[in-house]
DNA sequence: TGAAAAAATGCATGCTCTGCAAAATCGTGC
DNA sequence: GCACGATTTTGCAGAGCATGCATTTTTTCA
């Protein structure tokens, strides 16, 4: 494996691919085991064994055991933000938001079985549902930032994806404006509500369609940006 | 428990009052300690000691250490739901919701210092912020249920407060309608966004006022119920 | 006051999570 | 191919979290 002189294709080096694989394996193992025997009865040891790594390695990938149940796809947040930045300038912030999320949700529906199990796990252990909800909303902050950037006037300087908040909380940010936050909150709300609704009537409708409907309902009243 | 010589006044027996006090003491101790030395460096032992109870007792009140940082007021959810049920029938669901929450937020502002500390703790440890956000949203489900009841036609049969979801998840509920959920989600969103905004411009504005403004912005577009 | 109910406590136990250092693996230049 | 630096994995030890159970203390009410 030497001649890899120029191979930073889609996924990046081999090392990174392996990391993604390991992470995905851990997350999937966690969800499957939890669906079988209940999340509370699944130890980190069992998850690690199922994924073929050591316990210590598990904690190199997840901050806590519950994270493995909650964070199925670690960088969905990054992808959405990137999609927002890449969206054609002609789209209003709301439209761009709607499209970016709809695409992401359609993608998720491809792995229908895994997400179904995930939903079941969350349904049977409210403790994890709370964590999941919280995790979703943590993304809203990053979303608001990107929206603010877009509103501020494209700022196509680099289009480098905004990294997720490192969580240190050190850096005092310049007090985000209200409107971007409302947009982000609305988007998050739409995702959440449609997820709930979709979970109830599972298989009857396409997730993305439910989402578009809910999004439209919520968005109908938001005043247009001042610009 | 038949005698009960007419003493179930506002606070209910002495026993219950003591429990509330202990719980409050633990929560306050947790927040103060966390604000001082960082949440990560606060052990359950320290919290328990500060509140004057044993470690084992701590876990009789909170399911986990983090809960003590997050759940400052355990039954705010119950109060809001009760307020919704008690609200005059003349008010639209949105108005009732807005008033109930505004009252609650004003109450919270009375203990301004404690909430300030709480906000600081959440700001400095994102881990807890996620939990807090999740906890808020767990309330939305209960809220949606009460709203649905109100929409369904008052149903003043008993006006007994709806107990918080026991979290067992056993009972398959009859698939809540979409509209109540949207209303609940909107309310939760308003609380969250206004809390964020208020945290940035601390002391400049009254929390309740920010909330009303945000609520109005969000509500402006929600279509009226179909009935 | 005395008995029943509820709460607090101590103890034992298993699991979670972190820091540290050694071993295995990967990426790269030669 | 091979060696060297960088990254990742792993084991181990230790602190802290969380729960079940039996016991003691407190509250309630007759």
């Amino acid at each position: 494996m030497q001649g890899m002189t120029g191979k930073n294709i889609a996924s990046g080096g081999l090392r990174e691919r392996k990391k993604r694989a390991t992470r995905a394996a851990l997350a999937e193992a966690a969800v499957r085991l939890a669906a079988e025997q209940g999340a509370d009865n699944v130890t980190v040891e069992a998850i690690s064994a199922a994924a073929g790594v050591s316990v210590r390695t598990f904690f190199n990938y997840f901050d806590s055991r519950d994270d493995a149940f909650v964070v199925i796809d670690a960088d969905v947040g990054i992808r959405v933000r990137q999609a927002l930045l890449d969206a054609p300038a002609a789209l209003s912030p709301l439209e761009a938001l709607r499209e970016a999320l709809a695409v992401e949700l359609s993608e998720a529906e491809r792995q229908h079985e895994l997400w179904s199990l995930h939903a079941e796990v969350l349904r049977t252990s409210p403790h994890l549902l709370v964590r999941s909800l919280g995790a979703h909303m943590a993304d809203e902050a990053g979303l608001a930032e990107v929206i603010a950037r877009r509103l501020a006037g494209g700022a196509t300087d680099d289009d480098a994806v905004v990294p997720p908040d490192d969580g240190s909380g050190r850096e005092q940010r310049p007090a985000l404006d209200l409107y971007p936050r409302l947009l982000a909150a609305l988007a998050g709300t739409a995702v959440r509500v449609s997820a709930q609704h979709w979970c109830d009537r599972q298989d009857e409708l396409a997730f993305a369609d439910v989402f578009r409907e809910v999004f439209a309902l919520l968005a109908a009243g938001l005043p247009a940006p001042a610009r």
Side-chain angles (χ1 to χ4, degrees), chain A:
Chain A
M1 198 172 289
Q2 6 74 336
M4 55 168 59
T5 42
K7 73 152 31 182
N8 28 351
I9 335 168
S11 38
L14 178 154
R15 206 164 211 162
E16 193 146 342
R17 199 159 20 202
K18 249 195 157 181
K19 273 179 69 174
R20 284 180 191 281
T22 303
R23 190 185 186 92
L26 282 170
E28 181 165 345
V31 170
R32 291 197 184 280
L33 287 174
E36 279 178 25
Q37 23 187 313
D40 292 340
N41 304 320
V42 178
T43 67
V44 173
E45 192 177 349
I47 301 174
S48 309
V53 296
S54 74
V55 173
R56 190 62 185 79
T57 296
F58 174 94
F59 286 106
N60 286 341
Y61 283 91
F62 297 95
D63 284 341
S64 75
R65 183 193 64 141
D66 290 353
D67 274 4
F69 300 127
V70 167
V71 185
I72 279 195
D73 190 340
D75 33 36
V76 48
I78 295 182
R79 283 201 303 274
V80 171
R81 286 194 285 274
Q82 187 64 60
L84 262 190
L85 290 176
D86 292 345
L91 266 56
S92 80
L94 269 177
E95 291 166 334
L97 212 40
R98 169 164 49 85
E99 291 313 309
L101 289 172
V103 167
E104 193 59 42
L105 293 180
S106 295
E107 281 298 316
E109 219 166 3
R110 296 252 234 88
Q111 303 188 338
H112 191 284
E113 188 226 355
L114 193 56
W115 281 93
S116 250
L117 287 180
H118 185 239
E120 183 188 333
V121 171
L122 294 188
R123 213 178 305 123
T124 46
S125 52
H127 173 251
L128 293 179
L129 177 60
V130 169
R131 279 188 83 96
S132 177
L133 292 174
H136 270 285
M137 310 218 338
D139 284 345
E140 282 186 23
L143 214 53
E145 200 163 333
V146 173
I147 295 173
R149 192 195 279 197
R150 194 189 166 97
L151 282 174
T156 38
D157 44 35
D158 182 26
D159 261 21
V161 70
V162 176
D165 192 330
D166 68 352
S168 66
R170 282 176 258 116
E171 192 170 344
Q172 200 68 313
R173 218 161 293 166
L176 277 163
D177 215 3
L178 181 59
Y179 188 71
R181 271 190 180 151
L182 280 176
L183 284 179
L186 180 121
T189 302
V191 171
R192 235 177 319 119
V193 172
S194 53
Q196 290 171 353
H197 203 247
W198 178 77
C199 277
D200 282 351
R201 322 194 184 290
Q202 214 155 357
D203 297 329
E204 287 181 28
L205 302 165
F207 196 172
D209 289 340
V210 179
F211 167 74
R212 284 174 189 279
E213 184 188 333
V214 170
F215 192 97
L217 281 176
L218 282 173
L222 268 185
R227 77 196 186 90

